[in-house]
Amino acid sequence: MQVNTHLQQLKGNYLFTEIANRTQAYQQAHPEANVLRLGIGDVTLPLPPVIIDAMHRAVEDLAHAETFRGYGPEQGYHWLRQAIIDNDYTPRGINLTPEEVFISDGAGSDLGNLSELFDAANSVAILEPSYPAYVDTNRMAGREIIWLPCLEEHNFYPDLPKQKADIIYLCFPNNPTGTVLTRDELARWIEYARTNHSIILIDAAYEAFIEDPNIPHSIYEIDGAQEVAIEIRSFSKTAGFTAVRCGYTVVPKATGLQAMWSRRQCTKFNGASYISQRAALATYTPEGKAGIQANLNSYKQTARILSAGLCALGYTVYGGKNAPYIWCKTPDKMDSWAFFDRLLNQCQIVCTPGVGFGNAGQGFVRFSAFSNRKDVEEALKRMKTLA
Ligand code: PLP
């Protein structure tokens, strides 16, 4: 037996372990401290009652012979796939069929699993800084990575790859920088992919945070995208489903990959749970839409307060407008971890060091709006006193 040496050589998830270790050490040394956690990318608000009711009803269905369910379709229930098309795509003028929508247990799994569609010899272009899953997945598969630095001087927009990239991971609204892509920017990527016979995997986990009417919510709003793009979405941040687990991936037939993905899912995935799919369906009811919008509005308000407050304190900040993340430049070019330590030790605030998302994130930290107004206002008050 030979282990997968690519996987074996992956370093531990240093970023979040290190944040947890440093926070725990501080908390142990200062048990009385009220540590404000503004780093995490996890939702904090409870689910709207209509979604909870839907899950209760789904559990009840399983309790009675007449309504009991066993395995569902591997690709997801038709009623959910249709609801996704009717609510998320048709109103934006996008034509898709339910067979092109695959229900998942969240974006994380599919972002990893989609890599199985492609030969190990493909080159992969990945934004830097970026959400770590794209890098780790492709390292596990032993692929060559082409880095696409997203730098402050270019407003964190990546340049098109200089060499041919077969697979391109995009993430917009971006985690961690909060950048969004305009219609023209997306069109450039589609053009690149069409010319180079590449495939774009676009992670749209934060789509629900887009407020600017000029920013497309889906890559398929741009002509030609269905031939070259797979869109990965999640109910995690849109609807507060990080514990429930449900998402979906659109693999248009025009990519030539839909049948292969369906085949792969039938073998390796027995479907998202009936209960979480019922919960996801409830997000499209009028009460569900109102409930999740109220939660999103609360996070968006937190983002605005945090962003404006940091600006008022003299920090240079990006993002926070169409995204839940605020990308904040450290003062005096301070190292990301040094600023993390300063915030923790002097203000009892936890942020996420930007360098943890890749070297291009050095000199930045990420604040998250998945918090509440009270904590953010308290954090800003404490940061005023920062020496
Ligand atoms: N993509 C991005 C950019 C994320 O930030 C996250 C989670 O934080 C995910 C995907 C994973 O989401 P899910 O909960 O749907 O697996």
Side-chain angles (χ1 to χ4, degrees), residues 21-22 125 245 292 336 343:
N21 289 347
R22 292 192 194 198
R245 309 305 306 148
I292 63 177
S336 297
L343 280 181

Side-chain angles (χ1 to χ4, degrees), residues 41 105-109 111 131 134 171 173 175 203 205-206 233-237 241-242 245-247 325 366:
D105 60 356
S109 315
L111 281 166
Y131 179 64
Y134 324 130
C171 172
N175 177 11
D203 180 349
Y206 297 99
R233 289 210 191 176
S234 174
F235 292 96
S236 282
K237 310 298 161 78
F241 273 40
T242 53
R245 309 305 306 148
C246 198
Y325 297 119
R366 188 194 76 175

Side-chain angles (χ1 to χ4, degrees), residues 7-237:
L7 173 51
Q8 190 183 36
Q9 281 159 16
L10 268 189
K11 291 198 207 100
N13 193 342
Y14 168 75
L15 176 63
F16 293 103
T17 315
E18 187 60 22
I19 292 174
N21 289 347
R22 292 192 194 198
T23 308
Q24 196 187 5
Y26 182 86
Q27 195 92 68
Q28 265 165 7
H30 307 87
E32 74 300 338
N34 170 21
V35 176
L36 302 173
R37 286 160 209 271
L38 300 185
I40 54 155
D42 197 358
V43 291
T44 50
L45 293 171
L47 293 170
V50 66
I51 296 172
I52 298 296
D53 287 349
M55 284 194 278
H56 282 155
R57 279 204 307 277
V59 170
E60 203 52 35
D61 284 348
L62 302 182
H64 306 282
E66 314 78 62
T67 48
F68 178 76
R69 311 266 177 149
Y71 288 119
E74 290 89 345
Q75 301 85 350
Y77 284 100
H78 189 273
W79 33 260
L80 181 55
R81 299 165 92 189
Q82 189 65 56
I84 287 166
I85 290 175
D86 294 346
N87 288 278
D88 294 342
Y89 291 105
T90 310
R92 299 192 183 279
I94 298 162
N95 288 320
L96 287 166
T97 61
E99 294 71 44
E100 295 168 299
V101 177
F102 293 83
I103 309 301
S104 67
D105 60 356
S109 315
D110 276 6
L111 281 166
N113 296 334
L114 281 162
S115 140
E116 288 184 21
L117 287 175
F118 311 108
D119 193 272
N122 282 304
S123 58
V124 188
I126 299 180
L127 310 178
E128 197 198 8
S130 84
Y131 179 64
Y134 324 130
V135 182
D136 288 356
T137 303
N138 284 289
R139 285 216 169 115
M140 283 179 203
R143 290 205 181 91
E144 178 204 345
I145 294 178
I146 300 167
W147 296 107
L148 304 174
C150 301
L151 304 173
E152 188 182 15
E153 50 267 39
H154 297 131
N155 252 326
F156 304 102
Y157 279 112
D159 262 348
L160 294 173
K162 306 240 175 333
Q163 64 209 92
K164 184 181 180 306
D166 302 309
I167 307 167
I168 300 161
Y169 284 79
L170 296 180
C171 172
F172 292 99
N174 187 264
N175 177 11
T177 65
T179 315
V180 282
L181 282 196
T182 61
R183 194 168 291 276
D184 287 349
E185 281 288 334
L186 274 173
R188 281 178 66 222
W189 285 93
I190 292 163
E191 182 58 31
Y192 175 92
R194 284 162 67 105
T195 309
N196 290 282
H197 306 289
S198 320
I199 186 86
I200 296 172
L201 305 180
I202 183 154
D203 180 349
Y206 297 99
E207 168 275 330
F209 287 83
I210 296 174
E211 294 199 303
D212 184 337
N214 297 318
I215 302 297
H217 284 246
S218 166
I219 196 166
Y220 304 125
E221 289 178 46
I222 318 298
D223 285 344
Q226 291 207 19
E227 287 162 38
V228 292
I230 292 177
E231 184 165 89
I232 299 102
R233 289 210 191 176
S234 174
F235 292 96
S236 282
K237 310 298 161 78

